[in-house]
Amino acid sequence: MHDMDDDSRRKVLGEALMDELKAIREYVEDIPSMKQNVQEIKSDVDELKSDMKVVKSVVTEHSGQLKDQKKKIGVLKRKTA
């Protein structure tokens, strides 16, 4: 293998560093759009949480109403039997 002089080593190292910096810069440029996407997802999740609270409330209310109806039907069946 042949030895490189200091200038050649610096040139190769500089090129490698520039390639790495270019890759880092590309990732950094994507951060603002990723941040915007995260904010949109957070907003959607907050809305879904609110909707789920409403759904849970309605299901709970209907469940109670169904239990009451079953009791009333049971009482009517016993009276007619």
Side-chain angles (χ1 to χ4, degrees), residues 45-57:
V45 168
D46 287 342
E47 187 175 339
L48 288 170
K49 282 181 180 180
S50 176
D51 290 350
M52 285 309 299
K53 287 179 183 178
V54 171
V55 169
K56 285 180 180 180
S57 175

Side-chain angles (χ1 to χ4, degrees), residues 8 15 17 31 35-36 44 51 59-60 66-68 76:
S8 296
E15 289 173 3
L17 287 173
I31 289 174
K35 189 174 180 180
Q36 177 64 33
D44 290 346
D51 290 350
V59 168
T60 301
L66 285 173
K67 285 179 184 178
D68 288 344
L76 289 173

